[in-house]
């Protein structure tokens, strides 16, 4: 009896009870609820297994359920496409504007976000090495960096656009400003992650600073470095897109979103958002794969 009760999905059943007692008899609502309950049941059954099938299909079913509920809600309640277009309409807009979406992707992601990401994270790592060797920088650089990191992007982006023009350079500069401090903090903490006993052992072996750095401290710092790299993937995309709202050539994801919102072409806007989401997910996944390959020895990867 207890085992049977544990198998009952409490949240969906509670939602059904609340709707019944509240007097909601809209058939459309019950159709959405039936889809939700069916997907919930399938996912809870799959989630009990620890195999690769569950690891693959649970998020797939969850994502397809959200998209299906979105489509059904828009269709059943006849929601205006200006307020919320259906996923099918977004897919059609995506297919019809692939050349525009690709040009925007190259301009924003490859020329702006990726360049700024590499420069910002690389500069943060080099500064972290200097901070690690200098007590003065530890006490002076990090507080100033935290102040700069707190500056709002909507205030700094127009300044960089005025300084560097409407081209990719201003967008890369905004991305550098956004990713620099998070990467710096993670790099500094990572360089401190090795145990004092381990550092003393390297000292007894007459290891130089650079030998100790390469053979001990950098491998120990890798989980922290990848944590910063993964955080900065999303920050880089946000910075590049937001910067284009304040001035860009007639191409770019931020520029396209601003223009298409004015035209009420929300399906194209959502197509651009889809491209940004796919790019961010792929970028984050690439960092995760590299982390697994280079930090296989760490307990978090076992």
């Amino acid at each position: 009896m207890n085992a049977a009760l544990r198998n009952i999905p409490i949240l969906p059943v509670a939602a059904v009870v609340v709707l019944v007692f509240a007097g909601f008899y809209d058939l459309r609502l019950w159709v959405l609820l039936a889809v939700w309950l069916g997907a919930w049941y399938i996912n809870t059954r799959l989630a009990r297994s620890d195999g690769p099938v569950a690891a693959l299909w649970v998020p797939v079913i969850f994502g397809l359920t959200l998209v299906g509920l979105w489509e059904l809600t828009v269709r059943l309640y006849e929601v205006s496409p200006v307020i919320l277009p259906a996923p099918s309409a977004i897919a059609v807009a995506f297919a019809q504007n692939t050349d525009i979406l690709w040009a925007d992707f190259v301009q924003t992601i490859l020329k702006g976000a990726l360049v700024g990401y590499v420069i910002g994270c690389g500069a943060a790592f080099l500064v972290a090495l200097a901070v690690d060797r200098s007590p003065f920088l530890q006490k002076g650089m990090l507080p100033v960096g935290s102040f700069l990191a707190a500056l709002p992007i909507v205030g700094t982006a127009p300044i960089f656009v005025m300084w560097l023009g409407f081209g990719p350079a201003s967008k890369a500069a905004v991305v550098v400003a956004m990713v620099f401090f998070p990467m710096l903090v993670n790099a500094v903490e990572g360089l401190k992650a090795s145990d004092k006993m381990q550092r003393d052992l390297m000292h007894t072996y007459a290891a130089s600073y650079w030998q100790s750095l390469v053979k001990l401290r950098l491998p120990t710092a890798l989980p922290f470095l990848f944590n910063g790299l993964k955080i900065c993937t999303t920050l880089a995309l946000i910075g590049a897109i937001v910067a284009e709202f304040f001035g860009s050539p007639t191409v770019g994801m931020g520029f396209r979103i601003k223009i298409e919102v004015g035209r009420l072409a929300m399906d194209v806007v959502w197509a651009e958002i889809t491209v940004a989401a796919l790019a961010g997910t792929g970028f984050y996944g690439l960092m995760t794969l590299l982390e697994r390959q280079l930090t296989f020895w760490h307990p978090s990867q076992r």
Side-chain angles (χ1 to χ4, degrees), residues 68 88 121 285:
S88 57
C121 292

Side-chain angles (χ1 to χ4, degrees), residues 161-248:
V161 171
M162 292 178 62
W163 286 352
L164 302 175
F166 292 159
S170 59
K171 285 56 178 186
V174 173
V175 173
V176 170
M178 287 197 68
V179 306
F180 179 83
F181 185 70
M183 188 63 199
L184 176 64
V185 171
N186 281 277
V188 170
E189 291 300 319
L191 292 173
K192 298 178 181 178
S194 59
D195 295 336
K196 186 177 184 301
M197 184 177 298
Q198 294 173 329
R199 295 193 295 269
D200 290 341
L201 181 63
M202 295 294 292
H203 182 69
T204 59
Y205 290 157
S208 65
Y209 170 81
W210 295 107
Q211 288 175 328
S212 177
L213 177 69
V214 173
K215 296 183 178 181
L216 171 63
R217 305 182 70 193
L218 279 183
T220 308
L222 280 178
F224 293 85
L225 295 177
F226 276 106
N227 185 47
L229 289 173
K230 289 188 292 186
I231 292 173
C232 292
T233 55
T234 56
L235 293 178
L237 293 177
I238 295 171
I241 293 173
V242 172
E244 289 181 343
F245 277 80
F246 298 97
S248 67

